[in-house]
Amino acid sequence: MSKKLIVLFLGLIPLLCTCFSPDTPSDRRVLVLLDDFAIKSSHSIFFNNLKSRGFDLDFKLAHDPTISLQRYGQYLYDALILFSPSIERFGGSIDAAAILDFVDSGHDLIVAASSNASDLIREIATECGVDFDEDSSAMVIDHSGYAVSATEGDHTLIASDDFIKSDVILGKEKIKAPVLFQGIGHSLNPSNSLVLKVLSASPSAYSANPSSKLTSPPSLTGTSISLVSVVQARNNARILISGSLSMFSNRFFQSDVQKAGSPTKHDKSGNEQFLTELSKWVFHERGHLKAVNVKHHKIGEVEEPALYRINDDLEYSVELYEWSGKDWEPYVANDVQVQFYMMSPYVLKTLSTDSKGYYFTSFKVPDVYGVFQFKVEYERLGYTSLSLSKQIPVRPFRHNEYERFIPAAYPYYGAAFSMMAGFFIFTAVHLYHK
Amino acid sequence: MAASDAHKGDVSMRNAFGSVLAFLILLLIGVLAFSIRLFSVIKYESVIHEFDPYFNYRVTQFLTKNGIYDFWNWFDDRTWYPLGRVIGGTVYPGLTLTAGTLYWLLNSLNIPLSVETVCVFTAPIFSAFASWATYLLTKEVKGVGAGLTAAALLAMVPSYISRSVAGSYDNEAVAIFALIFTFYLYLKTLNTGSLFYATLNSLSYFYMVCSWGGYTFIINLIPMHVLLCIVTGRYSSRLYIAYAPLVVLGTLLAALVPVVGFNAVMTSEHFASFLVFIIIHVVALVYYIKGILSPKMFKVALALVVSVGLAVCFAMVAVLIALVASSPTKGWSGRSLSLLDPTYASKYIPIIASVSEHQPPTWPSYFMDINVLAFLIPAGIIACFSPLSDASSFVVLYIVLSVYFSGVMVRLMLVLAPAACILSGIALSQAFDVFTRSIKFQLPSLSDHSHIDAGDASSENVVLDDTIKTDKSEDTPKERTTKRSKKKEKEPVEKPPSKSQLKKRLSVLPFEASIVAVFLLVLLVAFYVVHCVWAAAEAYSAPSIVLTSHSNDGLHVFDDFREAYAWLSHNTDVDDKVASWWDYGYQTTAMANRTVIVDNNTWNNTHIATVGTAMSSPEKAAWEIFHSLDVKYVLVVFGGLVGYPSDDINKFLWMVRIGGGVFPHIKEPDYLRDDGKAFDRVRRTEIGKKYFKLTHFEEVFTTHHWMVRIYKLKPPKNRIRGKNKRSKSKTSSTTTSKRKGTRRNPF
């Protein structure tokens, strides 16, 4: 009977299971596609950082005809880094659709564009919900938030410190220095719930061609410009899209930074910390939840029943863990809720926790029969979404489970029996009196 | 004295012979009733037919596996997802229990038949029982001869065959037997005044209540007859005994059936019986008082009682009306209301009107379903009036009411059929009686001899046609006499026999005319037999789950339904939900064993309207509705390729109407537009939209003849696209290349 109670992961959770092995959801093998191998050395700090965290990087030229993402239907890599903003066409069997399929089967992606971003890169970004400025020569310019440098430039080198407020995505340690950014901006559709603005431009920024005079109002202005965005797809694949390739470079990592109008001068830009933490998130070293041991049973019993009766008292429990990069640690929160759901939630309860990942609650089954579900829909900023549902029928009383002798009916019992007795006496008298 | 003794011996000898013959004939009628219904098994296979029988079959399986208590408490979580259905409390258990008992009996006798076999053959077995019950009932009205004729007619009446061929495992199969048997016991009680039969009658009524919702016909017809008897001054203690125990015991027993429960005392369908129950007591009291009072005193008492009685009656009626008017449907269920007002359902309840068997019948369906009986009924009515007895007045009332009801709903043709058979049986047997008697009296050489020779002579004319008919025409005159003689002893009210004997001699027809008339009658009956066999073999034997069609290149078998259900049961998860229009709900749960959203038990109009709305909504809205119901697959029936007319497009406007009844944004006129170019072979019209691509659904299975197509709901998109227009034109090419599954052509 327990077969009937299958945990139904909504959406693409089954797909997810095939991609992330349940024990280690972090990525291991990463393919890095470059415009040319010079990037390998000019961005070596970022790459070495990844290597030191145990990633196996495979550098390939983007137009290399031998590259492929999958062989015999198996993906060769867990993640993909596209540091080839100018590529018009990938080599080998890779095209935009292949990359999107790679994402749709639960793998992660980092895309860095630059001012010369090709249509291909823009297309991939658009498919992920990120719209780069359509003007191909436009860059983000900020005349008040630029980074002070030795030469008075065109203010396309921006020092931004407008981060998303999420410890899960950017780590617990606060990023003190602003992040240097030079590249193109993009906008997000506010109704798109999957994409998040991680680093946004200041209110004075706008997107235009720095070398020509501004004739018409720029299409992207102010804080609606996103510099770096992340996407968490419905299957929990994560995508990082940045308008600047150079923000990953050693030069930006190591340079000092002083934001215009700010007296403090930082010895080192925030780029390294920002991108390291962000890459940890993208590669599922942080913010990845799992739920195990979803259990429910009647109070006082241990076995999971095949169905409940209305007004039963039951206990529900689930264990939640978060991946720390090395092992699963208990996830602690006080806002996990369970629904007892049939077309609409009949019971909605916040689960209590013992701070060791064990969440539990108990409640009474409502006085309604039907096929219910235990539903846990847990979606928090930065965390993978948890969607558990477990089907359980609730039956009405059996015919012999109702009360037999209700006090209110005693007058009727009395009437019936006195009637019977009276009829008996009447019959006896009528038949034998004469 | 010696001569009369010899005569007596002769008569009793003939009686014994006649009884044996009647028994043999009844046996043959039973065999006929059973075997004429086997065409479906021979021509197709031993399967359950149609839609409802699959549900009954599934319930029977559950019953035989889990026992009666689990059946009573059964909460089915595989239909009406996510509401579920309390089957134990919402099903008429008579049929299931009958077949379950049969199964249990056979298996305990070490006859290992499967549940399916028992279910397939339940209906033919019970039609044999029904024809025997018809014999008993007609015998109570007009004697053995009429009984045998009526039984033979009922054994093969097409209307009844349509609902009781082998495999048609539906409530009506046993309910018609229960209906006729209840009427028989009522008449038996009425004729004998025996409390024993009255109790049996209540039990039989209980069985009927268990079996079919049509029991309300009994509980309205019998009170009407009682009222008729009272009004026509035929009140007797026998009438009281026939009626009062039935109401008391019958209502108590009916309330025991979970699906009826308190309805037995609370809905308007039952009020007539209680009203008549009161009236018969008042009348009984009046007769009693009349018996003990002097005529003068009685007049005074009468005035008193009438005035008091009227006051009480008015009070009762006022209370009743107030009660009834306080309920929204005036206490009547939709189906009953549509009986009284044929336009009610089509006006207010699309879900009732959408069922084809709830439509009024067309004229041809009368000729199809009762054939020559339609002409014999008036003759039977006349025969019932000469002389009019309690029993024959009941039969007349029965036919009048059932003709009306059958005119309202095709389905109730089934109730008309037994009445038609009874009256036609009476008519035929009376006619044969008259004609053969005429022949007998005028045969010069045989006039002095006994009746048997006359019978033989008449039978020789007929022998070529049909054995059963021969038997009947042979035995009719004799049985008439035995019946007469029996009646002599029992009912002194009847006219003295000598007078009737005298009348017989006077009402003699010319010899040649009699011969011709007999011949014509036999011809008529022969046509009826031919028609019935044709109807059983061709018209009513198709199981509808398997379809066949004859064309130039031979026989085509369309087994697409079972193909689709088998695909579902093998390729989908056990807990997957399948949405389809409600017609296919029972079959999906029974054959594919998958959870369905709605099924043929249309108890929740809103739920059906939700599915109707989903079916008639644009793709995205439909996806959202189905997704909210956890639907994984959508099953649609498409007849456009092979010309199967009753597909989902045929039902589509009903989906719109039913959906629109609950969700007003669905409006029928929006769906009535003609701008088509493609061609639909069923409706011989062009299809409106062609070459469309589905984005929220994908086709996963199509059967061999495209009749059933199963679509799967796609999961929500993994990513949400941006809105950059420039790259849109380019991406469209990539997204289309990703779509899989180009349609294969099965031919």
Side-chain angles (χ1 to χ4, degrees), chain B residues 37 131 174 311 447 464 471 517 555 575 578 581 596 625 631 719:
Chain B
R37 287 166 169 82
S131 45
V174 299
S447 57
L464 296 172
D471 287 348
L555 178 77
D575 274 338
V578 181
W581 191 233
V596 296
I625 294 171
V631 168
R719 297 161 280 106

Side-chain angles (χ1 to χ4, degrees), chain A residues 269-284:
Chain A
S269 72
N271 284 35
E272 181 167 4
Q273 193 195 351
F274 173 71
L275 290 170
T276 305
E277 295 298 327
L278 202 54
S279 68
K280 280 185 186 170
W281 183 84
V282 170
F283 289 154
H284 286 272

Side-chain angles (χ1 to χ4, degrees), chain B residues 39-53:
Chain B
F39 276 110
S40 61
V41 173
I42 294 160
K43 286 184 67 180
Y44 296 89
E45 56 186 299
S46 174
V47 283
I48 308 283
H49 290 199
E50 307 252 343
F51 305 105
D52 288 23

Side-chain angles (χ1 to χ4, degrees), chain B residues 166 179 223 489 502-503 563 576 592 629 689 737:
Chain B
L179 180 89
E489 296 151 19
L502 205 73
K503 257 193 176 174
E563 187 186 350
D576 282 347
L629 290 168
K689 271 193 181 168
S737 72

